[in-house]
Amino acid sequence: MESISRAMVGRDRERRLLSEFVTAGSGRSLVLWGETGVGKSTLLDHAAESAEAGSHRVIRASGAEAEWELPFAGLHQFLHPLSSDVDRLDRSRSRALDVVFGRGEGTPSVMTLGIAVLDLLSLAASTRPLLLVLDDGQWLDTPSTGVLGFVGRRLSGSSVKLLAGVRSDVPCGFDTVALPRFAVDPLSSPASEQLLDLHHPGLAPGLRRLILDEAQGNPLALGELPPHVLGARPTLREGQVADNPDLPGYLGVPLPRRLQQVYGTRLEALDDTVRAELLRGALDGVAAGASARQHSPRRRYRMTNAKTAVDGGLLDLDLFSGELVFRHPLVRSTVVQTATPDERRAAHTDLARTHHEDPQRRALHLAASTAGPDEAAAAALEEAAESVTRRGGAVAAVAWLTRAAELSETSGERSRRLGAAAFVAGHAGLLERAQQLALSDTGGIAGESPAAVLASAYTAFYQDGNVRSARCQVRGALEGVRDSGGGTPAEVVARLVALLLAVDQYASDEVAWEDTHGLLASLGDLVPPLARIYQDAWGDVVRRGAGVRERVERAFGGVRTLEPWDLSRLAVAAYHVDGLGPFRPHLERAVEREVRTGAIVPAMTMLHLIMLDRMGCGQWDEAERTGRRILDLTGTHHHPLFAHHTRAYLGLLAAMRGHGDRARELQDTVDTWARPRGIGFLTQIADAIGSAAALAEGDDESAYLHAIGITEPGTFAAYSHQAPRTLLDLVEAALRTGRAAHARRHALAAHEAGLPAVSPRLALITFGALAMTSTDPAEAAEWYHRAERQPAANTFPFELARIRLARGVHLHSTQGPKAAQPVLADAADTFERIGASTWAVRARAELRTTLPSVPNDPQNLKPLTRQERRIADLAASGLSNKEIGARTHLSPRTVSSHLYRVFPKLGITSRAALRDALERLAATPDA
């Protein structure tokens, strides 16, 4: 049989890209983006074929419209073939995966589940590279999309690759997962002609030209339109093509609808029994296209007695499973769209009986089969909603409970179910939906004036965190302002622009930001001067931050004339270039006024900035008190976006202090809320919390995984505000995990990107990173000197102390203990002063190694737990963390974390000193 690779026409560029993708030595992810029928599935087949030929293991999955409301249905397709490996994970990881396999209640955060999936995939790929192929990703359920996005951003350094195909004409969760994209364009004219002649040789020139014009380079159309046209007019002659009003009846109609008409004509030729069979299969999500080649572990309707549909090019026989599957996803959609309501209800009734042992599927089909009140269907939906809520499907649960209320036979049951739907919506952060349900009033449709858009977008953004909806509304309004040629009040334009920039800041999406830059350029002088500062500061200071600090200082010269919202926005710009300090008094005076007058949004923004400045200058107790005050305000005034923003900063503060449990609790809370909404600003901080907490505890591998989730070594991801801020975290984590080359590459990239010119803090950490990663002692000394002599270095005590700690270790190894003592003592004192407890312990331990050789007094050593003692004994015997983990049923990262707590308890700083320390401990009476 002719291979997929040879059958493709005009896809040389795509084939080269996929070949490089498959053969790359390191893990990566890629999303193929394109219109329906453009050939994504064929390219996915080509990649899978190439991978299998290269000894990869390939696992395929496919999204289905019928399953998009079922939490983890898509992820289950990927993980089911790996279920035998789950028991090889440590218990905490395998427990996190229970929700995917339907074995447990309670839902782990995206981060917790994502790390468990990463561990499972790494384990599966330990002997053979692994390629995950996802087709029809636009129909993947929301929880699965979130986890795959998390995983896809962290495959670097593994033997796992993720390749997805997604329709560009259907909004979906992949719009915001921040994975690399590749646009699959229609075929060129020569390639279209070649493909058409290959599959349909001998067409009359006029008909050939018509097909090429109608297909517009779409491979599916090139294959499907000719037989449809010829079938409609078998005696067609060339001269009849151009002016025949009956041919083919779909000219001027969008391409997917043309193809639906093609399939619709074939459906009409089938008898009623076969059409009903296809409808049941379509409504139950029977596989379609390339995804059908892998057996699905989930039970779906099995179509039979449909040979005429196979002959008509609507179905194929899957050789793997022996079942009938749809030839293309568009066939499945057309089957549903061309059915009458009565036909669909009858099909759902049959499917409800088929799935009598699957409560969720039975409930969905039962509800869809019912036109009027039906208490049995309502009860089934309610039961399914309770089940799906426990598995992380709050959005689905709200929809199902709402439908259950509609089907209720009594007003009391209807009211109770609406209340339950509102409760679930409120706990999911869907406040507007919760209010609508509680009041049983959906309200009217807002007008389209800029002022109305502002009101609607503010609600969507600040209350719901709906960055996509808010951005769409505001962008549309600004386009209207531009196209109208004026007339919109300047104040309204300024607010629209500021809101668009604020939404983009929270979304942190490169495509959105670049689109905004283009839109604001087209608005010209309608954009206020201050907004131009926000535009450059709030987005990407690595690429647009040069000179912003000076512009902010000049703008603050007129602080007395600034409105409170511009004061807070300008202060946000100052934060992004680490220049808040001089302006904090203005914020402290203004914030009390704003709270008193009820201007809560500017007030909370100002309090955030005050908190950040206190964190930066080492006033951590005051920073925490400010954060708790903001949380009180967010609770009183119902602002979940600011509440989670505050939790993110409190989590980061807890991580720096070494309060790991508290930091991870806040991290999970923020990530679970923000990631499904595409709020990259907060998910990046969540990753920064994970990195900082892991570094403080000595779990260096986890720190590295979190850090590269923000940006890859040697790069600074565009419009990622945490990418430059976590420079030191990534470098230290890379050094501690033996990735010295990655660390050096990242430090050099910071210098080459010009970070020292953007802000004093970035200068400090860039020079520190260069010093830490240099292999030349003289060069390292020079960079350490430059870092510590930065004029503003002392205003960032935490970063300065970390650099001094590294310098002390460096001096100890190059110049001896005496040279290192004052530097290490200074670092330890600073850590203790600001409250960085675990860092202080580390610095004191390093300092002890420089003191005269006096045996540690066993009486002063802290006792080890039984687990810590066992791990310490195994490490002292020479076993690696991986080997210790195999014996203790712990992950290597958990072993590393235990050892890091053991070292200060024993008064040592390295593995080499374990044996002697344990012998001293054993010599004490209470050991």
Side-chain angles (χ1 to χ4, degrees):
M1 189 175 79
E2 185 180 39
S3 74
I4 294 166
S5 299
R6 289 196 299 272
M8 279 195 295
V9 172
R11 293 299 188 194
D12 292 344
R13 182 171 70 104
E14 289 83 354
R15 290 169 63 179
R16 284 195 300 272
L17 172 80
L18 292 175
S19 177
E20 293 171 0
F21 176 83
V22 169
T23 58
S26 180
R28 57 179 62 182
S29 57
L30 181 65
V31 178
L32 302 182
W33 214 269
E35 66 180 19
T36 302
V38 79
K40 300 182 296 297
S41 295
T42 301
L43 291 169
L44 293 176
D45 278 350
H46 166 68
E49 180 183 88
S50 300
E52 287 172 337
S55 300
H56 282 63
R57 180 182 183 182
V58 177
I59 299 178
R60 303 194 67 145
S62 177
E65 294 168 83
E67 293 188 344
W68 75 269
E69 287 186 335
L70 296 175
F72 303 112
L75 191 59
H76 183 269
Q77 293 182 59
F78 277 137
L79 300 191
H80 183 267
L82 306 176
S83 56
S84 60
D85 292 321
V86 172
D87 292 339
R88 297 168 61 193
L89 299 173
D90 68 64
R91 185 59 189 136
S92 64
R93 297 289 191 259
S94 61
R95 272 200 306 267
L97 296 174
D98 283 348
V99 67
V100 180
F101 294 98
R103 293 195 290 259
E105 298 183 357
T107 307
S109 70
V110 169
M111 186 168 294
T112 300
L113 184 54
I115 290 176
V117 172
L118 274 171
D119 280 357
L120 178 61
L121 295 177
S122 297
L123 185 63
S126 59
T127 58
R128 184 182 176 192
L130 178 63
L131 173 65
L132 306 178
V133 179
L134 171 66
D135 204 355
D136 265 345
Q138 71 280 351
W139 302 129
L140 203 67
D141 60 280
T142 299
S144 293
T145 302
V147 173
L148 285 180
F150 180 92
V151 169
R153 291 188 296 275
R154 292 165 174 80
L155 295 179
S156 176
S158 73
S159 298
V160 182
K161 298 182 180 72
L162 170 64
L163 183 62
V166 177
R167 291 190 200 173
S168 57
D169 50 353
V170 178
C172 69
F174 276 91
D175 294 340
T176 58
V177 296
L179 296 180
R181 294 186 193 180
F182 179 80
V184 181
D185 297 323
L187 295 174
S188 66
S189 295
S192 297
E193 295 179 10
Q194 183 182 352
L195 184 63
L196 181 61
D197 293 341
L198 178 67
H199 291 290
H200 301 285
L203 291 177
L207 178 59
R208 184 173 178 273
R209 185 176 63 254
L210 172 68
I211 298 299
L212 290 169
D213 290 343
E214 286 296 302
Q216 300 174 4
N218 185 289
L220 182 62
L222 289 166
E224 301 292 347
L225 290 178
H228 174 63
V229 174
L230 290 171
R233 298 296 298 266
T235 60
L236 188 70
R237 297 189 304 274
E238 179 183 352
Q240 296 175 312
V241 171
D243 54 1
N244 191 315
D246 299 323
L247 179 69
Y250 51 75
L251 296 176
V253 177
L255 185 57
R257 286 180 56 195
R258 296 178 217 169
L259 293 172
Q260 287 171 3
Q261 290 182 12
V262 171
Y263 294 132
T265 301
R266 299 180 193 177
L267 286 168
E268 291 174 1
L270 303 176
D271 62 42
D272 292 346
T273 302
V274 177
R275 283 205 308 272
E277 189 76 354
L278 266 62
L279 181 58
R280 287 189 286 271
L283 291 173
D284 207 39
V286 168
S291 62
R293 300 177 186 217
Q294 178 166 305
H295 175 65
S296 171
R298 291 186 180 273
R299 182 185 176 192
R300 295 190 178 95
Y301 184 77
R302 183 168 186 169
M303 296 183 291
T304 58
N305 302 321
K307 183 178 183 300
T308 53
V310 176
D311 295 339
L314 297 171
L315 300 181
D316 282 331
L317 179 67
D318 177 23
L319 298 179
F320 184 88
S321 65
E323 298 183 1
L324 293 173
V325 296
F326 289 102
R327 182 179 174 196
H328 191 276
L330 200 56
V331 177
R332 187 169 56 192
S333 300
T334 304
V335 168
V336 175
Q337 292 171 8
T338 56
T340 67
D342 286 342
E343 289 171 338
R344 289 195 291 269
R345 282 193 288 270
H348 281 299
T349 298
D350 292 339
L351 291 168
R353 287 193 291 266
T354 299
H355 293 297
H356 63 278
E357 294 181 353
D358 187 331
Q360 292 182 11
R361 282 186 178 273
R362 175 179 176 273
L364 287 174
H365 289 303
L366 197 60
S369 70
T370 306
D374 186 316
E375 187 58 31
L381 266 179
E382 185 174 9
E383 180 185 355
E386 292 173 358
S387 171
V388 80
T389 300
R390 292 191 292 269
R391 298 186 62 225
V395 174
V398 171
W400 296 354
L401 286 167
T402 304
R403 177 64 174 148
E406 294 170 353
L407 296 175
S408 299
E409 294 181 348
T410 68
S411 59
E413 284 298 286
R414 177 182 181 277
S415 176
R416 182 180 65 79
R417 286 167 178 148
L418 279 175
F423 176 81
V424 175
H427 277 258
L430 306 172
L431 291 189
E432 185 175 357
R433 182 63 177 147
Q435 292 166 357
Q436 291 171 347
L437 290 165
L439 298 173
S440 299
D441 182 9
T442 59
I445 300 174
E448 295 183 354
S449 70
V453 169
L454 271 172
S456 176
Y458 269 123
T459 300
F461 178 48
Y462 285 113
Q463 289 199 340
D464 300 331
N466 192 338
V467 291
R468 300 169 208 166
S469 173
R471 187 178 193 281
C472 183
Q473 294 178 69
V474 178
R475 191 192 187 285
L478 283 170
E479 283 187 321
V481 169
R482 179 196 62 196
D483 297 339
S484 67
T488 305
E491 184 179 29
V492 174
V493 176
R495 290 177 180 175
L496 284 168
V497 170
L499 182 54
L500 179 62
L501 292 171
V503 171
D504 282 347
Q505 178 183 219
Y506 273 89
S508 295
D509 178 76
E510 181 180 3
V511 175
W513 264 111
E514 291 297 338
D515 175 75
T516 292
H517 292 319
L519 176 60
L520 296 192
S522 71
L523 287 169
D525 293 339
L526 293 175
V527 179
L530 285 177
R532 296 296 185 188
I533 298 178
Y534 312 153
Q535 180 182 357
D536 291 337
W538 295 1
D540 189 344
V541 296
V542 176
R543 293 159 182 84
R544 303 176 68 98
V548 167
R549 185 180 173 88
E550 293 74 20
R551 292 162 62 193
V552 169
E553 290 173 354
R554 287 195 297 271
F556 259 109
V559 66
R560 296 184 183 278
T561 63
L562 290 175
E563 296 289 352
W565 40 85
D566 273 326
L567 175 61
S568 63
R569 292 166 186 163
L570 198 56
V572 171
Y575 156 70
H576 281 290
V577 291
D578 301 302
L580 263 178
F583 313 120
R584 195 172 92 191
H586 298 297
L587 296 174
E588 291 172 336
R589 287 193 296 269
V591 71
E592 301 305 329
R593 180 186 68 239
E594 303 310 308
V595 171
R596 286 196 307 270
T597 59
I600 298 301
V601 170
M604 288 190 291
T605 300
M606 293 176 187
L607 285 169
H608 273 154
L609 294 164
I610 292 168
M611 178 185 181
L612 284 169
D613 191 60
R614 287 172 170 162
M615 287 170 62
C617 67
Q619 299 172 356
W620 288 1
D621 290 339
E622 295 89 339
E624 184 154 356
R625 283 193 290 270
T626 303
R628 297 194 179 282
R629 182 185 179 189
I630 305 169
L631 274 185
D632 290 339
L633 285 172
T634 61
T636 302
H637 296 277
H638 309 293
H639 279 276
L641 176 67
F642 281 137
H644 286 87
H645 196 155
T646 307
R647 293 185 183 102
Y649 290 149
L650 286 170
L652 194 56
L653 181 57
M656 293 188 297
R657 283 179 177 270
H659 302 165
D661 291 341
R662 175 61 176 159
R664 280 185 288 274
E665 177 188 348
L666 290 166
Q667 175 192 22
D668 280 355
T669 301
V670 171
D671 194 83
T672 300
W673 185 84
R675 200 169 294 276
R677 292 168 169 77
I679 306 177
F681 192 91
L682 297 186
T683 58
Q684 289 172 34
I685 298 177
D687 271 332
I689 294 170
S691 181
L695 276 175
E697 293 180 336
D699 190 355
D700 303 323
E701 186 66 25
S702 287
Y704 183 78
L705 285 175
H706 283 297
I708 65 171
I710 297 169
T711 193
E712 292 289 331
T715 66
F716 290 89
Y719 301 97
S720 170
H721 78 289
Q722 282 294 318
R725 292 184 170 276
T726 54
L727 164 64
L728 216 54
D729 290 353
L730 196 157
V731 166
E732 288 198 67
L735 287 171
R736 293 188 200 171
T737 56
R739 298 177 173 98
H742 290 187
R744 183 61 176 173
R745 186 164 71 246
H746 203 54
L748 291 172
H751 192 252
E752 291 166 3
L755 295 194
V758 174
S759 81
R761 179 181 178 276
L762 292 180
L764 172 68
I765 63 176
T766 298
F767 297 153
L770 288 167
M772 292 177 188
T773 59
S774 176
T775 57
D776 181 343
E779 179 188 343
E782 175 59 25
W783 285 120
Y784 278 124
H785 179 80
R786 289 190 64 179
E788 294 189 52
R789 295 301 182 273
Q790 282 295 302
N794 288 317
T795 60
F796 305 102
F798 181 56
E799 289 83 359
L800 181 59
R802 287 171 65 177
I803 292 168
R804 284 180 170 158
L805 172 58
R807 182 183 169 220
V809 174
H810 170 77
L811 287 172
H812 192 181
S813 65
T814 58
Q815 299 182 29
K818 189 172 183 179
Q821 286 171 11
V823 180
L824 290 171
D826 183 87
D829 290 343
T830 301
F831 287 136
E832 288 172 354
R833 174 173 58 81
I834 64 178
S837 56
T838 54
W839 288 90
V841 168
R842 182 186 306 169
R844 291 294 177 198
E846 291 288 351
L847 181 60
R848 278 195 296 271
T849 67
T850 70
L851 298 176
S853 181
V854 177
N856 287 309
D857 183 2
Q859 301 299 323
N860 294 328
L861 300 181
K862 296 181 180 179
L864 303 182
T865 66
R866 180 177 298 179
Q867 179 85 302
E868 289 171 345
R869 180 57 188 261
R870 185 185 180 198
I871 290 171
D873 285 333
L874 291 171
S877 71
L879 295 182
S880 68
N881 286 1
K882 185 175 182 180
E883 291 168 333
I884 297 171
R887 294 197 182 191
T888 58
H889 304 291
L890 299 171
S891 72
R893 289 198 292 273
T894 302
V895 172
S896 174
S897 182
H898 278 297
L899 283 174
Y900 197 76
R901 286 192 289 270
V902 164
F903 288 174
K905 287 185 176 183
L906 295 179
I908 61 176
T909 62
S910 69
R911 214 181 185 98
L914 264 174
R915 184 184 299 276
D916 291 340
L918 291 173
E919 289 177 355
R920 289 195 300 272
L921 188 64
T924 64
D926 298 327

